[in-house]
Amino acid sequence: MSRPSHEAVLLVDGYNIIGAWPCLKKTRDNAGLEAARGELVEAMTSYSSFQGYDTQIVFDAQYHNASSNKEIITELLSVHYTDFGQTADTYIEKTCASLRYQIAQSRIARMIVATSDRAQQLTVQGYGAEWLSAQQLCGEVETTVCRMRHKYQSRKQPQSRFLANSIDAKARQRLAELRMGFSNKY
């Protein structure tokens, strides 16, 4: 049995997430849809990298007369715009159907769909996908960002190679006195 190339493939219903996350909804209302898409992509870039998920954010183009488009953001993150007349739901369902075979062949370990659309949830679970609500994804992204920050900060703190720097000040003072020849008893 071969080892999966990615821990999971994560399919994100982009506009559904933007409409459900308060911070993205606020950005959409104040700065526009393009800014909200950018914030979602930024958040998912960090999350995908930390989790090792092959993430695809899917946006509807159903009301825009444009052909489908795919932007590769990082090795693990891509943004997909559907064809004219195609919904993100349809795109995600077709992708789940094709990925089901890859799971059976052990090419990928898991398939996860992030959306708060109840009908979509039931459909993708029928294809063997796991489901995350928009709120669950938001919580996971926030938790991951905190874990990344903690991991970075713990690496950033200098590690001293001297034992004296790892003991408390009172013990350090006593060692200095002993080294200088003072023999005050405590």
Side-chain angles (χ1 to χ4, degrees):
M1 191 176 272
S2 63
R3 183 163 189 241
S5 58
H6 295 287
E7 181 178 325
V9 172
L10 172 61
L11 301 167
V12 178
D13 185 343
Y15 290 135
N16 183 276
I17 301 299
I18 288 172
W21 287 10
C23 58
L24 295 178
K25 196 185 307 186
K26 184 177 179 180
T27 299
R28 178 197 65 197
D29 294 346
N30 294 335
L33 201 50
E34 185 67 31
R37 281 194 300 256
E39 279 187 31
L40 176 59
V41 168
E42 186 177 323
M44 295 310 299
T45 300
S46 299
Y47 179 74
S48 300
S49 175
F50 192 80
Q51 297 292 358
Y53 292 170
D54 178 8
T55 302
Q56 300 174 27
I57 302 174
V58 183
F59 292 109
D60 291 324
Q62 94 177 72
Y63 301 116
H64 299 93
N65 195 5
S67 59
S68 65
N69 185 21
K70 175 182 176 180
E71 293 177 28
I72 297 174
I73 308 301
T74 69
E75 182 181 324
L76 293 174
L77 180 72
S78 56
V79 177
H80 301 259
Y81 297 92
T82 65
D83 278 323
F84 175 71
Q86 182 183 32
T87 65
D89 292 353
T90 307
Y91 180 95
I92 289 170
E93 289 166 16
K94 286 181 180 180
T95 303
C96 285
S98 68
L99 290 176
R100 183 171 50 178
Y101 175 75
Q102 290 185 32
I103 289 175
Q105 299 298 313
S106 298
R107 292 187 193 141
I108 59 173
R110 301 165 54 201
M111 171 172 49
I112 306 165
V113 174
T115 183
S116 286
D117 182 323
R118 177 79 173 136
Q120 181 73 1
Q121 170 198 351
L122 296 173
T123 303
V124 300
Q125 286 177 327
Y127 287 113
E130 298 171 36
W131 168 75
L132 280 176
S133 70
Q135 288 72 25
Q136 288 171 315
L137 180 63
C138 184
E140 284 198 16
V141 168
E142 288 175 354
T143 299
T144 300
V145 168
C146 288
R147 285 181 19 215
M148 287 171 51
R149 189 175 295 128
H150 177 73
K151 189 175 182 178
Y152 174 75
Q153 287 173 345
S154 67
R155 270 195 227 150
K156 198 172 152 184
Q157 294 174 357
Q159 299 294 325
S160 176
R161 59 188 179 132
F162 300 110
L163 176 62
N165 291 335
S166 63
I167 59 176
D168 65 70
K170 187 174 181 179
R172 196 170 26 251
Q173 176 64 33
R174 179 69 179 130
L175 286 171
E177 289 172 0
L178 287 171
R179 193 172 57 245
M180 301 302 266
F182 300 118
S183 61
N184 293 346
K185 301 262 181 179
Y186 285 3

